Every structure is written in C-alpha cells, then in structure tokens.
Amino acid sequence: MQLNQFYVDDLIKRAIQEDINYLDVTSDYLIPKDQRGTACFLAKADGVLCGLEVCLRVFQLLDSSFEAECFKKDGDAVKKGDLIARFTGKTRELLKGERTALNLLQHLSGIATATREAVELVKGTNASIADTRKTLPGLRALQKYAVVCGGGKNHRYNLSDAAMLKDNHIDAGGGITKAIGSLRDKLGHMVKIEVETRNLEELREALAAGADIIMLDNMSPEDMKQAVEITEGKALLEASGGITADTLRSVAESGVDIISIGALTHSVKAFDISMKIEMDR
C-alpha cells in the first residue's frame, strides 16, 4: 500500500505548524543554528512497527540535510530494545520534530500491533479483520495504512466507496427492502450495498432483497452460526459490534467472512517508542 506523498506532507506541515507556531523557544535559544546531532529510535515494547517513513519525513521537511539509516521497516515485528533507526541532522530540527514524529510513529505502530494481535486470534478461520470509519479526522488514510501493515483489511474509506444501510438509513428509507430497491435504481454497477441487521429476521429480509454484504450487528456467535447457514454464501457476512479479544475467536469460528473492529483506530493504545540523542558518537 502506497501513501500519497502530498497527503502525508500536508498533514505533517499542519502538525508542525500547530506545535511550533513561530519558534521553539527552548531549542532556538539554546542550540547553535549549525550544531549537528545524531539520534535514534528505540522500541520500548514488543509489537509491530508502522509509520517509520512518515515519521522520518517530519525531519526531512524541517532539515534538507537530514539523513537516516533504518534497521526496521513498516510491518516488521520489533522487540523491546530493538534499534529501529539512526539519523543525523541539525540538532535544533531534530528536537523540534521529535514530538510530531513520535506521535505519528507511536500511534500508527499501536494500530498495527493491535491489528496483528487480532489477526493472530482468528488464524485458521475464514474470517478477515477489518477496520471501520471510526478514525481521527485527517488521519484516516494513515490509520487504515497501519491496519494493512498489521495484516488487516480496509473497510470503505469514505461514504463514496459503497452504500451502507445502517439502522437510521433503514428507518428513514422505509425499511430494508424498500431502501435496497431505491438504491439499486440509482447506483452504478460498481457500487455494492451493505445492510446492517440486528437479528435473523432482518438478515433474511436483506438476503431476499439482494444485499451484497450483510452486517451482523451485536449478534451472539450462536446467531452468527445460524446466519452463515441461512445465507449459504449468497452474501458476504460481516460481524461487528462489541467484539473483544475474549470473544473474537468464537465470532470467527461462527463462519463469518469479515470481522470489523472500530477499536483498532478509535481507541488504540500507543506503542512505546523513544527517541534518544546520542552524545559524543
């Protein structure tokens, strides 16, 4: 997966402007302008790395003389104490970019780590792990990139990617059958329709109306097994809602095709990585 460099640079510039504003009163007044330094990134826990190139781009935008040597890459498993990268540049700019760079690297690595853990829990089943649109404003592409680095798959990126009938759409659109029919009359042949269902009766209605994907919202693993039997492969089945590490395996073993987990992006724990200035190296 290749991130759009214009998007990445724009995001970083906005983050730097937010953090530095006019000047860094500590670094600009303390450190000589031409002083150069060397620093490194160290893993402080076990997990999956993600966002290293994005993180290093922070320093490149601040200092055209910045150079880095990477010992790990996005998607790699890292252990506590691992050296991730070593880099050199103007000391002022290394210090100015430190927090923005680490915010991105720690957050994206946290998502990749959580995704990898979920993927491992469903290993050997038919289910794939997917994200949702529960992302931080402006960070969606990066967060979804991190899910891929962790071995997961992306749900739709935005409202233009696919038609998804959630409970409020269904209520406002006159019910499942009517809503699907209305959409079919207007959608192009490339656009799929997903329907959120809360019970097996709604599942049967969505299936009969020709839904391409059916979401099983907050259903028990037992109901999901019945849903798989009823569907007989006529639509993809997505499990979602209230799924935790404790229930993930039983949900996967029900036979569903996709398990979407909003927590991968909306409430993930940052992965612990530190930046250290190396003295007299």
Side-chain angles (χ1 to χ4, degrees), residues 4-189:
N4 184 310
Q5 196 64 55
F6 292 107
Y7 158 76
V8 172
D9 285 0
D10 182 63
L11 187 153
I12 290 172
K13 288 175 182 177
R14 282 186 283 114
I16 290 172
Q17 185 177 33
E18 177 182 60
D19 200 33
I20 297 176
N21 201 352
Y22 301 111
L23 77 161
D24 174 353
V25 295
T26 308
S27 301
D28 284 333
Y29 290 150
L30 178 66
I31 307 298
K33 180 179 179 180
D34 296 327
Q35 180 177 318
R36 297 184 65 78
T38 298
C40 64
F41 286 135
L42 295 171
K44 303 298 289 294
D46 297 350
V48 179
L49 184 69
C50 181
L52 183 56
E53 290 187 11
V54 174
C55 167
L56 296 177
R57 183 64 175 162
V58 173
F59 300 110
Q60 291 171 349
L61 290 173
L62 288 169
D63 176 10
S64 61
S65 71
F66 175 83
E67 294 181 345
E69 181 181 9
C70 299
F71 305 101
K72 301 289 182 180
K73 64 182 185 302
D74 286 1
D76 281 353
V78 295
K79 297 288 186 181
K80 182 178 181 179
D82 279 354
L83 176 62
I84 295 170
R86 177 175 283 116
F87 38 93
T88 60
K90 295 178 180 178
T91 306
R92 275 189 187 180
E93 314 314 320
L94 294 179
L95 295 171
K96 288 179 182 180
E98 176 181 359
R99 177 43 50 201
T100 296
L102 283 176
N103 282 347
L104 292 167
L105 186 61
Q106 291 175 324
H107 180 61
L108 298 180
S109 294
I111 293 172
T113 298
T115 303
R116 182 70 55 83
E117 291 170 353
V119 168
E120 288 297 317
L121 283 173
V122 304
K123 203 169 183 178
T125 70
N126 181 58
S128 60
I129 299 297
D131 51 32
T132 70
R133 283 171 45 249
K134 295 177 181 178
T135 56
L136 295 174
L139 288 180
R140 180 170 295 171
L142 282 180
Q143 290 184 303
K144 283 180 172 286
Y145 167 74
V147 168
V148 173
C149 284
K153 295 184 178 180
N154 294 146
H155 210 290
R156 58 181 179 162
Y157 264 75
N158 55 52
L159 297 174
S160 300
D161 284 347
M164 187 168 178
L165 293 166
K166 298 181 75 66
D167 54 355
N168 285 331
H169 296 97
I170 292 167
D171 292 341
I176 291 174
T177 301
K178 183 178 179 181
I180 291 178
S182 296
L183 283 173
R184 285 289 183 212
D185 289 340
K186 298 173 183 177
L187 294 178
H189 67 285

Side-chain angles (χ1 to χ4, degrees), residues 180-208:
I180 291 178
S182 296
L183 283 173
R184 285 289 183 212
D185 289 340
K186 298 173 183 177
L187 294 178
H189 67 285
M190 296 292 288
V191 183
K192 293 184 178 181
I193 297 176
E194 178 168 4
V195 180
E196 179 183 276
T197 62
R198 294 160 289 191
N199 52 56
L200 296 178
E201 181 180 348
E202 290 183 349
L203 166 80
R204 289 186 177 92
E205 183 179 356
L207 192 61

